[in-house]
């Protein structure tokens, strides 16, 4: 029963925070949606902030596999591909996550900072390290700028999901394709742009 209450609170928080900003959602509203006493939020999570962090973590727990120590030893292209497949898994199973992310683009919040520090900065460093290893080994072009290239790759992977509701309206029958096909093309084009070409 206790685990049921905790899970109901978590699911209510995911739903409400996806629809409204952190400040707009009240503890009472979360408890009412979950049909539990509002004191349970403090009991299970400690605070509304901690519940918000738990809501983000629940939707992005697949990042734990990406950030496992063994990933850093993979061949650089394998790290970049693993990022793409991890994000595919996250977005497939957590469609509300995009609403959290889009709101942060428009109106960054302090509530999201913990996730940025604990997860997104680690992801950025992992991708940056893979690119640097690729440059050092001669696999990638020596003139690559690490920061912009990481942002470009993250943008290419995530744009498929961010643009989901607009693609068919923008280019009916042309812009629509499966996730797998999109990511395969993204990998092919991205690697073609960053890999070092043999000198003639």
């Amino acid at each position: 029963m206790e685990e049921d209450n905790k899970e109901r609170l978590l699911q209510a928080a995911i739903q409400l925070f996806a629809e409204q900003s952190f400040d707009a959602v009240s503890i009472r509203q979360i408890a009412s949606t979950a049909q539990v006493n509002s004191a349970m939020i403090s009991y299970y999570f400690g605070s509304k902030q901690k519940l918000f962090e738990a809501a983000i973590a629940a939707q992005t727990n697949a990042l734990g596999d990406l950030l496992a120590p063994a990933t850093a030893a993979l061949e650089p292209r394998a790290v970049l591909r693993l990022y793409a497949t991890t994000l595919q898994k996250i977005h497939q199973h957590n469609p509300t996550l995009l609403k959290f992310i889009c709101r942060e683009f428009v109106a960054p919040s302090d509530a999201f900072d913990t996730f940025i520090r604990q997860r997104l900065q680690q992801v950025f460093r992992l991708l940056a390290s893979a690119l640097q290893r690729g440059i050092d080994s001669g696999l990638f072009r020596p003139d690559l700028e690490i920061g912009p290239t990481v942002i470009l790759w993250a943008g290419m992977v995530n744009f498929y999901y961010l643009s989901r509701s607009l693609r068919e309206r923008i280019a009916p029958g042309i812009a629509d394709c499966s996730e797998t096909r999109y990511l395969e093309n993204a990998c092919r084009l991205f690697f073609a742009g960053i890999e070092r070409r043999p000198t003639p």
Side-chain angles (χ1 to χ4, degrees):
M1 181 65 174
E2 284 202 5
E3 282 304 309
D4 288 347
N5 288 339
K6 184 177 182 180
E7 183 61 23
R8 284 208 304 273
L9 281 169
L10 185 59
Q11 292 307 314
I14 289 172
Q15 172 193 331
L16 292 168
F17 287 132
E19 298 299 334
Q20 305 173 56
S21 69
F22 175 80
D23 291 330
V25 176
S26 69
I27 287 175
R28 184 170 304 205
Q29 190 179 6
I30 297 168
S32 174
T33 301
Q35 298 182 321
V36 301
N37 189 297
S38 60
M40 293 294 98
I41 291 175
S42 178
Y43 176 75
Y44 289 118
F45 299 97
S47 66
K48 186 174 86 165
Q49 172 68 39
K50 293 294 184 186
L51 177 54
F52 179 86
E53 292 168 11
I56 298 290
Q59 297 176 87
T60 59
N61 58 13
L63 286 177
D65 296 334
L66 175 66
L67 295 169
T71 303
L74 294 175
E75 192 260 0
R77 287 172 299 197
V79 175
L80 297 169
R81 284 194 184 95
L82 181 59
Y83 170 79
T85 56
T86 300
L87 268 291
Q88 180 182 18
K89 183 191 303 183
I90 287 172
H91 287 303
Q92 280 178 339
H93 295 99
N94 304 281
T96 55
L97 181 62
L98 282 174
K99 294 184 178 180
F100 285 74
I101 293 170
C102 289
R103 185 173 295 110
E104 288 301 309
F105 284 149
V106 176
S109 68
D110 292 340
F112 208 72
D113 280 353
T114 299
F115 176 65
I116 290 172
R117 289 194 308 272
Q118 291 181 351
R119 289 298 198 200
L120 294 188
Q121 288 179 357
Q122 289 182 60
V123 170
F124 187 96
R125 287 194 294 269
L126 175 72
L127 298 178
S129 174
L131 288 169
Q132 188 62 61
R133 288 191 295 113
I135 293 169
D136 294 343
S137 68
L139 176 63
F140 297 153
R141 291 166 35 187
D143 61 340
L144 280 185
E145 290 187 57
I146 300 292
T149 307
V150 171
I151 293 168
L152 175 64
W153 183 228
M156 286 179 74
V157 170
N158 286 284
F159 185 75
Y160 178 88
Y161 305 98
L162 290 168
S163 66
R164 180 175 282 155
S165 64
L166 287 175
R167 284 196 309 271
E168 189 59 30
R169 292 163 61 192
I170 294 169
I174 298 173
D176 196 32
C177 64
S178 71
E179 292 169 84
T180 301
R181 196 167 131 224
Y182 174 85
L183 291 174
E184 284 172 355
N185 275 280
C187 284
R188 181 172 54 82
L189 293 170
F190 183 74
F191 292 140
I194 69 171
E195 287 175 350
R196 187 173 190 162
R197 286 176 168 70
T199 51

